[in-house]
Amino acid sequence: MTSKVEMVSVVIPTLNEAGNILEAITTIHKDLSYPKEIIVVDGNSTDGTKEIVQELGYCRLIVEPRRGYGLALRTGMKNAKGNIIIMVDGDGTYEVRHINRMIAKMIEKDADMVLATRMYDPKKAMGIMNFVGNKVITFFFDFVYSQFLSDTQSGFRAISHEAIDNVELNEGDMAFATEMLIKFAKEGYSMVEVPTTYKARKYGRPKLRRFKSGIEIFSTIFRGSLDADTIRKREAAWKKNRVK
Ligand SMILES: Nc1nc2c(ncn2[C@@H]2O[C@H](COP(=O)(O)OP(=O)(O)O)[C@@H](O)[C@H]2O)c(=O)[nH]1
Ligand SMILES: [Mg+2]
C-alpha cells in the first residue's frame, strides 16, 4: 500500500552508458515533480559514465564493482531513503517522463508496485526475440502465480520501499526482476501496470545474454512455484476458472 509520496528514490544501474545516461538523468531531474534523490549504481564503467554522473553534482554515485544487474539494483535500493523507489535502466530505452504517471497510479490504486508495460507501444521498438521471450515468460509467470501482467521483464517500476524491505531478494542478475514479482505475488502485494513507450538503444550494447538469462528466469519461476501455498493457490484459481 502506498498512499502518499514522501520522497522518491530513483535507482539507475549503469554499465558503460556514457552516451545514454546524461539525457535520462537530466530529464528525471527536470520532470519528476516530487521530492527526490537520484542514485546511480555503476559497475565500474570504463567509458566515462561515472565522470558524467559525478560532474552533474546532484546525483549520488555508488560504485558496485561486482557484476550483475540484480546486484546493482539491490545495492542501490539498500541505500535509498525514499518511501517510493523507482528502478529504471540508464540506457535511454525507457520513457523516464512517465515516472510521474506511475507514481500517480500508485497513489490512486494504493498499489505496492507499478510496472511500465511496453506491450501497448504502437512503435514496437522491442526486438522480436526479446518480445517473444518476454511473452512466454510472462504467460508462464501469470499462470503459475495467478497474475495478469503483460510485461514481466519491464525494468521500469515504481515500488513501495516498505514492501521491498519485506521480501528477500537473492538473484544477482537479470532474473532479479522476475524474482521480485514472484515474492510480491506470494506476499499478496498489489501490482498494476501503466503503458509506456520504448526506444531503441542509441549508444552501447545490451548486456542481456538471452539464453543464459532465459534459463535463469525460467528456473526462478519454477523454483518459486514449488511451495505448497503457491500450488494450492494455483489449484484454487484453476478450479474457479473451470466452474465458469
Ligand atoms: N551496475 C551495473 N549495471 C548493469 C550491469 N548489467 C547491466 N547493467 C545496467 O542495467 C541496465 C539494463 O541493462 P541492459 O544491458 O540495457 O539490458 P536489457 O535492457 O535487458 O537489454 C542498463 O542501464 C545497464 O547499463 C552490471 O553488471 N552492473
Ligand atoms: Mg536495456
Side-chain angles (χ1 to χ4, degrees):
M1 272 173 36
T2 312
S3 49
K4 72 175 202 283
V5 190
E6 283 151 21
M7 182 176 154
V8 180
S9 299
V10 184
V11 180
I12 310 175
T14 56
L15 185 57
N16 295 325
E17 302 290 2
N20 302 316
I21 190 66
L22 190 63
E23 196 190 331
I25 294 177
T26 50
T27 307
I28 295 168
H29 185 64
K30 205 161 41 95
D31 274 32
L32 182 55
S33 47
Y34 297 98
K36 59 181 171 279
E37 60 174 353
I38 303 174
I39 303 172
V40 174
V41 189
D42 187 75
N44 243 340
S45 298
T46 50
D47 68 345
T49 305
K50 279 182 286 187
E51 291 72 13
I52 292 170
V53 173
Q54 256 162 343
E55 230 165 80
L56 281 171
Y58 52 77
C59 287
R60 193 154 156 222
L61 174 70
I62 300 173
V63 177
E64 172 52 90
R66 294 175 296 173
R67 274 289 157 274
Y69 167 78
L71 262 176
L73 281 169
R74 276 160 55 194
T75 300
M77 287 174 182
K78 250 181 240 145
N79 281 277
K81 297 193 195 79
N83 70 318
I84 294 177
I85 295 178
I86 303 289
M87 64 181 239
V88 65
D89 295 355
D91 62 358
T93 56
Y94 290 102
E95 187 52 82
V96 289
R97 279 187 197 87
H98 291 164
I99 296 177
N100 285 310
R101 86 163 67 149
M102 290 160 76
I103 292 174
K105 186 66 141 191
M106 200 169 195
I107 303 302
E108 181 202 324
K109 297 279 178 198
D110 218 356
D112 297 296
M113 190 193 296
V114 175
L115 295 101
T117 170
R118 301 161 290 179
M119 291 300 159
Y120 305 103
D121 181 5
K123 285 200 277 9
K124 306 247 179 292
M126 193 185 293
I128 184 76
M129 292 293 280
N130 284 7
F131 178 82
V132 172
N134 189 341
K135 276 286 158 212
V136 175
I137 290 166
T138 299
F139 175 82
F140 193 39
F141 168 84
D142 282 345
F143 176 75
V144 174
Y145 299 100
S146 314
Q147 300 292 313
F148 297 94
L149 298 178
S150 65
D151 184 2
T152 54
Q153 300 312 301
S154 171
F156 188 15
R157 304 174 177 182
I159 313 158
S160 146
H161 197 159
E162 199 186 325
I164 204 102
D165 276 349
N166 204 34
V167 294
E168 196 190 316
L169 299 170
N170 303 309
E171 291 297 324
D173 208 2
M174 295 299 180
F176 171 80
T178 309
E179 183 192 23
M180 184 193 293
L181 301 181
I182 293 171
K183 302 276 164 83
F184 270 55
K186 286 186 177 187
E187 284 295 325
Y189 288 146
S190 56
M191 297 183 273
V192 296
E193 290 181 321
V194 295
T196 193
T197 45
Y198 194 56
K199 291 174 272 186
R201 223 179 217 283
K202 287 193 204 125
Y203 162 96
R205 292 169 57 83
K207 281 98 214 163
L208 176 73
R209 277 178 289 165
R210 275 196 211 100
F211 189 71
K212 177 179 171 282
S213 297
I215 300 278
E216 281 170 6
I217 292 166
F218 274 112
S219 139
T220 305
I221 295 177
F222 186 65
R223 276 183 283 123
S225 71
L226 295 177
D227 67 286
D229 211 33
T230 306
I231 293 170
R232 224 174 293 124
K233 275 192 196 141
R234 183 65 253 135
E235 259 173 16
W238 189 71
K239 278 184 193 146
K240 204 171 104 196
N241 289 340
R242 201 177 45 166
V243 168
K244 268 186 207 159

